[in-house]
Amino acid sequence: MNPDEIARLRTEATTGQGGAPAGIEVLHSWALSHVERLTFPDGNTAVFKTAREPFTHEDEALTAARQAGMSVPRVLASVLGTTTLGMLIEDLGEPAREPTDADGAAMAVHLHSVAVPDLLPPGDTAWLASLPARALRTLDVLREHGRWPGAADIAEMLEAIDKAAPARAEGAMARPFGWVHSEFHPTSLLVRADGRVFTYDLARAFCGPGLLDLVSWQGTTTPADPDRARAFLERYVEEGGPTQTLADRGGLCAQEWALGWHRVWIVEWYLAQAAQWIADPTTDPAYERAVRAHTREAAELLHV
């Protein structure tokens, strides 16, 4: 992100916070977002986050989540530029320990049970079934511009998934359906010394199938693990999640349905990054490898 834009938004967001920051610690930075811990002259700290589209409504999502009773950091101030959000939020401090599967399951139950505000984008059955076609259109754009020339196999797999999508998407609106965090990993939870568990990173939150969150928990850096996913779904139900979580949908067991659609969702998002949001041809090899691997997993899990 542009350092001058970050500095300008930081200045605007911290006006009225007791003076300019005395210290700035960069916590995270990539092409679409930048996160800092700010220390003010009085010793108080806050987290400052800047984000480019499509992440420019996280302040609204966090505010709505807090109003709904979720354990999320307070938004202290926010400013919106032409295409960039600057947001000052409560500093939750350093974690007391790593979150466990029990923490994740309990937080997911809480997340999926609170009221959903109108501001969250909808993700219903039709939306889910549209993902492979949307991914194909984006892949076509990349190839029309001379990028991803060796991606014919990806296109073939996406075409097969697209043909099966209407049947496989059935059950998308079965419980749990509501808030979807979209980045629901152990790194998006923080356990404080008093035992309270918070979540954050709601920049891509939407209203949709909660199972996408549940299978996000195991991440994507290793191959999909249906047995591990099933164990987490069962833990979620034990923590108070709806029993319908474990029901078959789209002709598949819950864990394969969820993992398969999660991979399709990731593929569509990665292609959008490559073509629009980041649009850096030098990153094409890495994106193509990831998209190919996840598309292959999706085809296998969805049995197409």
Side-chain angles (χ1 to χ4, degrees):
M1 294 190 63
N2 185 294
D4 293 337
E5 179 78 349
I6 293 171
R8 183 183 66 79
L9 292 171
R10 185 195 304 120
T11 298
E12 291 186 29
T14 55
T15 298
Q17 298 297 319
I24 300 172
E25 176 190 3
V26 176
L27 303 177
H28 169 78
S29 190
W30 73 304
L32 297 179
S33 68
H34 177 87
V35 185
E36 304 169 339
R37 173 175 284 119
L38 307 182
T39 301
F40 293 94
D42 60 5
N44 288 325
T45 63
V47 170
F48 176 66
K49 182 174 184 178
T50 53
R52 290 170 44 198
E53 291 181 343
F55 300 140
T56 51
H57 298 285
E58 186 176 8
D59 57 333
E60 296 174 352
L62 283 170
T63 299
R66 189 173 179 85
Q67 290 173 345
M70 286 171 53
S71 297
V72 296
R74 288 181 296 116
V75 176
L76 305 175
S78 63
V79 292
L80 186 62
T82 305
T83 60
T84 308
L85 170 72
M87 177 176 67
L88 192 69
I89 62 176
E90 175 186 7
D91 184 4
L92 298 175
E94 295 299 324
R97 60 172 173 80
E98 294 295 317
T100 64
D101 283 359
D103 295 322
M107 178 58 74
V109 170
H110 182 43
L111 173 71
H112 298 157
S113 64
V114 298
V116 179
D118 292 339
L119 63 90
L120 291 188
D124 57 12
T125 306
W127 167 81
L128 194 68
S130 75
L131 290 177
R134 290 165 58 184
L136 271 167
R137 286 195 296 271
T138 306
L139 181 58
D140 286 343
V141 169
L142 288 166
R143 297 172 76 187
E144 287 168 4
H145 286 81
R147 299 168 61 186
W148 296 44
D153 60 322
I154 297 175
E156 290 175 3
M157 288 186 287
L158 285 172
E159 287 167 359
I161 296 170
D162 184 46
K163 289 179 182 178
R168 287 292 186 251
E170 291 179 2
M173 299 181 71
R175 296 183 67 198
F177 186 89
W179 276 87
V180 178
H181 185 291
S182 288
E183 302 288 345
F184 195 68
H185 314 301
T187 54
S188 295
L189 267 62
L190 186 143
V191 184
R192 299 177 76 163
D194 60 6
R196 292 187 65 191
V197 182
F198 287 78
T199 187
Y200 47 93
D201 281 346
L202 293 176
R204 292 182 64 210
F206 68 96
C207 178
L211 265 67
L212 295 179
D213 270 345
L214 299 179
V215 296
S216 293
W217 184 254
Q218 66 178 252
T220 58
T221 57
T222 56
D225 187 338
D227 291 340
R228 181 181 172 193
R230 182 72 182 195
F232 191 68
L233 296 184
E234 292 174 350
R235 185 62 183 262
Y236 170 80
V237 172
E238 291 171 4
E239 292 288 342
T243 57
Q244 197 171 2
T245 300
L246 303 176
D248 293 354
R249 55 191 76 198
L252 302 169
C253 61
Q255 61 271 26
E256 289 189 339
W257 184 94
L259 284 167
W261 279 113
H262 181 259
R263 268 46 182 180
V264 176
W265 178 44
I266 289 174
V267 164
E268 194 276 334
W269 168 235
Y270 281 179
L271 284 165
Q273 285 187 48
Q276 179 180 2
W277 301 118
I278 295 179
D280 180 0
T282 65
T283 65
D284 282 352
Y287 272 105
E288 186 175 339
R289 284 193 299 272
V291 165
R292 178 174 286 106
H294 292 320
T295 305
R296 184 176 295 116
E297 279 195 326
E300 293 172 355
L301 289 160
L302 295 175
H303 295 248
V304 300

